Amino acid sequence: MTLMAETWGEGRDLVMLHGWGMNSSVWSDFADGLAEQYRITLIDLPGHGHSPFRGQQSLAAWTEACLAVAPESAVWLGWSLGSMVALQAAHLAPARVSGVMVLAGMPRFVQAEDWPHAMAPHILDLFVHALGDDHRGTLERFLALQMLGSALAKETLRNLKQRLRERPDPHPEALQNGLDLLKRTDLRAALKELDCPTAWLYGDRDTLAPAAAAGLLHRWLPEVSSQVIAGAAHTPFLSHPTETRQAVNRFLEKLHGR
């Protein structure tokens, strides 16, 4: 299975991965701004955008498919579900991942007794059950949930829907596979084994990846670096592109010693 990847720009390599139900078109203007200093590689996750889908697979399999089309060495930036793939890439192929930027992402997306700042399991279950009846309607509701609380919710949602139309709808089974990964994946223990620096960026109004989770990451990452963008929900790179780009650039410049 060869995933769709596109590369442009000049400089050090930066891989960017979108979230569940999305595709690489969501990055458009945001990635263009970064391409002035970095060589960008956008990858459509399995069954999303122009990438094929070959049936239910593990997070490791999704990650291996991304590694197969990624540069030999790069910083990986993942948004939401894409952040889990980026963290898994750093775990599976440490020599190829020099840093991970987590954007509105979590090592575990559902609540646990020792992980309260996450989605309640029943909310994700509702999406799982609804997906079989109406995957397009379920995706629409998920898009709206991502904007919940954002200071620029209506405008951001309109822009996101417009960009998603630039590529094919995600494969229904890929959506189911992705929700299963969000529900079952817990990478917290794996964080202790990461060899590369990480940075975590949240929106203070995000209900899917609450910013309060950043306060617990030090249990697995003693020197964790995190930042919260005021007024942003789950898509800070769309609602607050300037602040998000500045945060990404700071991490990359620090990483490369500039």
Side-chain angles (χ1 to χ4, degrees):
M1 177 176 66
T2 301
L3 303 184
M4 172 65 182
E6 54 185 311
T7 300
W8 78 101
E10 299 289 340
R12 295 179 184 267
D13 281 297
L14 175 65
V15 173
M16 301 176 68
L17 302 175
H18 61 80
W20 179 82
M22 307 291 111
N23 59 60
S24 293
S25 66
V26 300
W27 297 118
S28 59
D29 295 341
F30 184 76
D32 281 338
L34 293 172
E36 295 174 4
Q37 294 177 277
Y38 302 97
R39 193 165 78 114
I40 307 296
T41 297
L42 305 183
I43 302 175
D44 281 343
L45 295 177
H48 293 66
H50 292 300
S51 285
F53 186 67
R54 298 289 184 263
Q56 297 286 312
Q57 293 184 315
S58 66
L59 180 66
W62 279 39
T63 304
E64 292 287 2
C66 289
L67 283 164
V69 295
E72 277 304 306
S73 178
V75 176
W76 287 48
L77 185 156
W79 167 49
S80 196
L81 174 59
S83 71
M84 284 187 154
V85 178
L87 290 168
Q88 183 77 328
H91 181 65
L92 294 178
R96 297 186 56 191
V97 181
S98 57
V100 176
M101 182 89 187
V102 175
L103 183 56
M106 309 273 270
R108 177 188 173 103
F109 268 90
V110 294
Q111 293 173 348
E113 187 174 340
D114 59 346
W115 188 252
H117 306 300
M119 279 191 290
H122 75 273
I123 294 179
L124 204 52
D125 284 338
L126 289 175
F127 281 103
V128 170
H129 294 313
L131 198 60
D133 299 325
D134 178 14
H135 73 273
R136 287 191 175 88
T138 302
L139 188 55
E140 286 277 335
R141 289 189 290 275
F142 190 75
L143 289 175
L145 184 60
Q146 292 185 65
M147 308 302 156
L148 191 63
S150 171
L152 301 169
K154 289 184 178 180
E155 180 181 350
T156 305
L157 181 58
R158 184 173 58 252
N159 290 339
L160 181 56
K161 287 182 176 180
Q162 182 178 350
R163 293 178 184 188
L164 289 177
R165 296 190 194 103
E166 296 173 7
R167 301 194 182 200
D169 287 346
H171 192 291
E173 290 185 25
L175 291 175
Q176 195 75 49
N177 195 168
L179 283 181
D180 187 61
L181 295 179
L182 287 171
K183 182 179 179 180
R184 300 180 186 280
T185 301
D186 188 345
L187 296 175
R188 290 177 297 169
L191 295 180
K192 295 181 179 180
E193 302 174 9
L194 293 183
D195 290 331
C196 67
T198 64
W200 304 68
L201 187 63
Y202 292 97
D204 71 343
R205 301 185 183 185
D206 193 344
T207 58
L208 299 179
L216 300 178
L217 289 172
H218 65 87
R219 298 179 184 176
W220 301 275
L221 291 169
E223 298 181 7
V224 64
S225 171
S226 64
Q227 179 182 338
V228 178
I229 296 180
H234 198 58
T235 56
F237 63 97
L238 292 178
S239 63
H240 297 71
T242 300
E243 296 94 323
T244 304
R245 191 176 293 112
Q246 288 172 346
V248 173
N249 277 324
R250 278 195 298 271
F251 175 62
L252 293 173
E253 288 168 4
K254 182 179 180 180
L255 193 61
H256 298 311
R258 289 190 297 178

